[in-house]
Amino acid sequence: MTPDTPADVRVTRAWSRIVEWLAEYAPPSYAALRPGARDDEIAALEATLGVSVPQELKALWRLSAGEDGVRGTGVMLGDWTLMPLDAVIEAHQIQMRSQEEYGEDESPLVLWKPSWIPFCSSRFDETGTGLYLDGGTGEVCRWGTYGEREKEYESLPAYLELMAVSLEAPLAAAGPEKPGMRGGALVWGPPSDDEGADQWVGHLGEAPPRHPAKTLGAIRAALPSDERAEFDEQRDAADLADLESLGAFRDRWWERCVQVQNELEDEVADALGGNIMAQPGHKLAPEYEAALPPAVRHVPPSLDDISAALRHESVRARFNRDFMEAVLPHYPALLLRWWDIARLMADPRGDRAVRAVINGRRGSD
């Protein structure tokens, strides 16, 4: 992202990452999202409120015009709920009536401005507290039951980008809100109530799904390195406003990642006798060790073991390159293969053969 990227494009990108994460990890929350609003529906809302809605908020509503909530919780960062458009109208009108009632004296108290557009509330059927977009400054602010009006985020794109990062990299997420699951739904927590805390499981990103998440970042990371340039070229040329085309692009490359991962897992299974629980550099549990073929029934080699055994810099350079370009499921098979190469190099004839092959590869890269 660059600073001059239009706000509505940033919203589209961030929300796409969020929705893809929900579809992969929290299907009930994904199912609770309402379809995007039509332009005429947004225009009708503007006419009813007598205001112009900022482009970034329109971009969000075109993708998802609210949610229905799951067990009283919302999907938005901070445990907020994305408001349906009718709730937006209701909340705005309630706040404007309050402004008219309490702001008539000589020093009017500013409780609400017409350009303040609510978009999140504490619950999908409540409008007492929530977040609004200040159409004048672009800031996301919180309103409360007792007249609180506090700035929370610099902008709507910044809020959604922080939410996307918090979902995709929860251990590195800033702020107190952490993603977790309760009954398969996304719940930001940890919850304050004891009952909710007992059922809440934090999402730490420690157990990724079998295949990459359907996010552009996850897909790119799972691709072989020599295919990423083509992916980048097609991604940069994609029309972000054409959601159907963007979805087809994502699905096509995700299927390629699945194919690559399946091939790698097959290779791992072959190398480890079907046991992909082996972790290089660690002893195996007895039941796993018994499943390995005798030829590899030993403590799997570590990265340092192999690097020390590869006596020539050119060979070590090739090993380091292969290791850096591999994806996680490939590590056990890669290390075992290079351990075999290191043992082969103990024989002078094998040493010469390996160096000839490696140097030949380097020269052709």
Side-chain angles (χ1 to χ4, degrees), residues 9-351:
V9 174
R10 290 175 59 191
V11 164
T12 299
R13 289 175 175 171
W15 190 248
S16 296
R17 291 163 58 191
I18 291 166
V19 170
E20 290 165 2
W21 188 97
L22 293 172
E24 186 72 32
Y25 290 97
S29 298
Y30 173 78
L33 292 175
R34 295 189 177 189
R38 303 189 306 272
D39 286 343
D40 63 314
E41 293 175 318
I42 297 176
L45 178 144
E46 290 180 307
T48 301
L49 300 185
V51 298
S52 177
V53 174
Q55 290 298 319
E56 60 265 38
L57 187 51
K58 289 182 180 180
L60 174 59
W61 284 343
R62 290 188 183 106
L63 298 171
S64 298
E67 60 168 305
D68 295 321
V70 181
R71 300 183 181 90
T73 65
V75 304
M76 304 299 287
L77 177 65
D79 202 26
W80 297 109
T81 299
L82 187 62
M83 300 169 68
L85 297 192
D86 55 352
V88 171
I89 294 173
E90 179 185 355
H92 190 277
Q93 292 177 337
I94 289 174
Q95 296 299 328
M96 287 302 299
R97 286 196 293 268
S98 297
Q99 177 63 45
E100 294 170 1
E101 181 178 353
Y102 296 105
E104 294 179 348
D105 54 14
E106 294 182 357
S107 299
L109 175 66
V110 178
L111 292 175
W112 202 265
K113 295 181 180 180
S115 61
W116 293 358
I117 313 297
F119 67 96
C120 284
S121 60
S122 57
R123 295 291 181 268
F124 76 98
D125 55 353
E126 296 179 7
T127 56
T129 59
L131 300 178
Y132 64 87
L133 178 63
D134 186 330
T137 66
E139 298 171 343
V140 171
C141 305
R142 180 177 64 87
W143 88 86
T145 305
Y146 302 104
E148 307 98 310
R149 305 292 184 264
E150 300 177 0
K151 174 184 171 180
E152 294 283 319
Y153 305 95
E154 288 293 333
S155 65
L156 181 59
Y159 171 60
L160 295 178
E161 287 164 352
L162 178 60
M163 179 176 172
V165 169
S166 298
L167 292 172
E168 295 171 346
L171 294 177
E177 298 94 355
K178 304 297 181 183
M181 307 293 175
R182 188 165 63 198
L186 170 64
V187 177
W188 294 92
S192 56
D193 60 295
D194 293 338
E195 181 180 354
D198 290 341
Q199 300 173 354
W200 185 80
V201 178
H203 178 80
L204 300 179
E206 294 175 340
R210 172 176 168 79
H211 300 305
K214 282 191 176 182
T215 64
L216 297 184
I219 290 171
R220 187 184 188 281
L223 287 171
S225 58
D226 58 355
E227 297 184 24
R228 292 175 187 170
E230 181 183 358
F231 172 86
D232 291 343
E233 182 179 352
Q234 294 183 14
R235 178 199 58 197
D236 294 342
D239 182 0
L240 294 177
D242 187 349
L243 297 181
E244 183 176 351
S245 176
L246 194 62
F249 163 76
R250 179 200 63 199
D251 291 345
R252 180 172 67 255
W253 280 101
W254 182 80
E255 290 173 1
R256 172 57 184 154
C257 288
V258 171
Q259 179 186 5
V260 170
Q261 190 162 3
N262 286 340
E263 292 172 353
L264 294 179
E265 290 180 354
D266 289 342
E267 185 175 350
V268 170
D270 290 341
L272 301 179
N275 170 34
I276 62 172
M277 300 296 292
Q279 297 296 317
H282 298 277
K283 287 185 178 294
L284 299 180
E287 62 271 23
Y288 295 137
E289 186 174 11
L292 293 176
V296 293
R297 193 175 296 169
H298 53 69
V299 178
S302 69
L303 184 66
D304 291 339
D305 293 335
I306 297 172
S307 184
L310 298 172
R311 298 176 296 170
H312 304 284
E313 186 59 36
S314 61
V315 182
R316 279 198 298 270
R318 180 66 194 194
F319 165 66
N320 291 335
R321 175 176 172 179
D322 283 359
F323 184 80
M324 293 299 296
E325 292 181 349
V327 296
L328 284 174
H330 198 191
Y331 286 172
L334 180 143
L335 294 184
L336 287 172
R337 181 168 66 249
W338 275 95
W339 184 240
D340 287 338
I341 291 174
R343 288 187 293 179
L344 177 63
M345 293 180 70
D347 182 287
R349 292 170 299 176
D351 181 88

